[in-house]
């Protein structure tokens, strides 16, 4: 190795990115919306190289599907664009690969806990509504069987919870 190689190695970042996984039932409404909003916030704060995120569903029924069109419309109305996400199921490997796993509701939390039968990853599970301050919701409601107001409510709730989650991560990892 010559001097330039050692300088290049020295200048490489010594930390791996913080990884966040958003989880809902089918990965077509709530968790992809959280991913889209969170990525937007991370990008606006120039933290994309330090924090990466993904989303997944408990069930694999919608594998490969785009987010629900009604959810994409609600997101668009709030200024978010569709990055072409495709639904995928949560895998056991996700439990070890991600630093934070954010279930949208208590059933998602129970399902994740069932996947983690030995309890090795439970400290990574942080329910999304733990990060709300102005909403009374204890879970992100599933808007799938409702109307436009439900989708809009989810976007508004996720805007606040994603912003607060990002501040939590920045504080915990001393990011500016």
């Amino acid at each position: 190795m010559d001097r330039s190689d050692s300088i290049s190695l020295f200048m490489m970042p010594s930390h791996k990115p913080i990884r966040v996984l958003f989880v809902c039932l089918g990965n077509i409404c709530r968790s992809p919306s959280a991913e889209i909003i969170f990525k937007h916030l991370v990008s606006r704060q120039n933290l994309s190289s330090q924090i990466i995120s993904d989303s997944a569903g408990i069930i694999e029924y919608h594998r490969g599907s785009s987010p629900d069109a009604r959810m994409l419309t609600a997101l668009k109305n709030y200024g978010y664009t569709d990055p072409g996400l495709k639904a995928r199921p949560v895998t056991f490997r996700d439990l070890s690969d991600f630093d934070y796993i954010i279930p949208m509701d208590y059933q998602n939390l129970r399902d994740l806990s069932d996947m983690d039968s030995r309890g090795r990853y439970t400290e990574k599970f942080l329910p999304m509504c733990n990060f709300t301050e102005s909403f009374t919701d204890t879970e992100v409601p599933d808007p799938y069987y409702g109307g436009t107001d439900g989708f809009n409510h989810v976007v508004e709730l996720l805007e606040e919870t994603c912003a607060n989650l990002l501040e939590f991560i920045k504080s915990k990892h001393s990011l500016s």
Side-chain angles (χ1 to χ4, degrees), residues 30-174:
R30 297 171 293 168
S31 59
S33 297
E35 179 186 358
I36 289 167
I37 292 167
F38 189 75
K39 281 184 174 175
H40 174 81
L41 295 169
V42 167
S43 176
R44 270 195 2 213
Q45 294 191 30
N46 296 315
L47 295 170
S48 298
S49 65
Q50 297 173 23
I51 303 171
I52 59 173
S53 59
D54 194 3
S55 61
I58 296 297
I59 61 172
E60 63 178 285
Y61 178 78
H62 298 288
R63 179 192 293 265
S65 297
S66 297
D68 185 283
R70 298 165 297 169
M71 193 77 249
L72 291 174
T73 298
L75 286 164
K76 183 178 179 184
N77 291 339
Y78 285 83
Y80 301 97
T81 58
D82 175 13
L85 301 180
K86 299 293 182 194
R88 73 172 186 86
V90 177
T91 66
F92 184 75
R93 183 172 178 166
D94 288 332
L95 302 182
S96 64
D97 285 354
F98 286 87
D99 301 298
Y100 298 100
I101 301 171
I102 315 297
M104 297 294 124
D105 63 37
Y106 293 124
Q107 184 59 53
N108 303 150
L109 178 60
R110 284 188 292 277
D111 292 334
L112 289 165
S113 295
D114 288 347
M115 285 180 75
D116 180 27
S117 60
R118 295 186 183 179
R120 293 176 29 199
Y121 305 109
T122 56
E123 73 282 351
K124 296 181 178 189
F125 304 156
L126 302 174
M128 189 84 246
C129 282
N130 284 6
F131 297 97
T132 186
E133 294 172 353
S134 62
F135 289 85
T136 59
D137 300 83
T138 57
E139 301 178 306
V140 178
D142 190 343
Y144 189 79
Y145 293 105
T148 302
D149 289 345
F151 289 94
N152 291 335
H153 176 72
V154 166
V155 172
E156 292 169 6
L157 176 59
L158 290 175
E159 284 183 319
E160 178 179 281
T161 54
C162 285
N164 291 338
L165 171 62
L166 179 55
E167 290 306 311
F168 168 80
I169 291 170
K170 285 170 49 181
S171 174
K172 188 164 173 94
H173 295 274
S174 302

